[in-house]
Amino acid sequence: MPNPWTGKGNPYTKQEVRDRLQATIDQGKAIIAAGAGTGISAKFIEKGGADLIIIYNSGRFRMAGHGSTAGLMAYGDANAVAMEIGEFEVLPVVEEIPVICGVHGSDPRRRMWHHLLKVKEMGFSGVNNFPTHSIVDGHFRQVLEETGMGFAKEVEMIRLATMMDLFSIVYVATPEEARQMAEVGADAIIAHVGTTVGGSIGVVDATCSMDEAIERTQRIGDAAREVNPNVFVLAHGGPVNTPADVREVLAKSDIHGFVGASSLERMGVEQSLTELTREFKRIGLGGLTDR
């Protein structure tokens, strides 16, 4: 439904986003959500038919040639960066599909209810918990949890978003985290199985095999649906990178689609720019011969 003030599709209510995603499923199609770190990425991701665009602070690092994990580090204000990308790059060029804002829920400097009001006012249709501590483990994860900056803060952020009628699509790494998010009203669960493999700045080796990724994704989805049978479940990360990979996951599990950031935005740029440049360089002097 177009925004009556702008004529564009943003923002949508929580139920409107859910209805759009359900319509995709009812047509027998997979839900595809894509990260966008620049306006040009968002414009052509929409043109390609994605169902959702998600803005992460990591998108700025990714499109600057750095690994997405930079978004988890203290290299900037994650919440401010996501809002800036949305206000000045993505929201002005996206015509119709919902745009989701990455929110660092454990940021101790934010009154989270106030920040979410600004997210909604900006024209975002929903939120995502990124940067997320769900993908942090070991001693550092324990320290985050013990010092009040753990995953529970992200769960609380989603609870507030639900109260504010914001659609929520969330990263989790375990079945227990999936249950926690479903209990506070998360609309879509993303089973995060590791940093995306491949490309110039992706990891070399997946932390799990494809079979393990499928099994983990299924267990996460099952846990979320024990709480809410109507939750959407999506795959992300690790060895799940290409369209062929996603087809395999969907064929072997009971989930609804895929979220791609590096695997869509970064890989697309790396491949297309490399090949286009090579095509230009094959032009000989006089335009007659390839070299």
Side-chain angles (χ1 to χ4, degrees), residues 31 37 66 76 84 118-119 124 134 137-138 163 195-196 250 274:
I31 295 169
H66 311 296
E84 183 179 286
K118 292 192 288 185
V119 167
F124 289 100
S134 68
D137 58 14
M163 294 172 61
T195 302
T196 302
L250 291 177
T274 300

Side-chain angles (χ1 to χ4, degrees), residues 42 84 114 121 132 218 275 290:
E84 183 179 286
H114 184 246
E121 182 183 44
T132 176
Q218 185 66 57
E275 290 307 312
D290 291 348

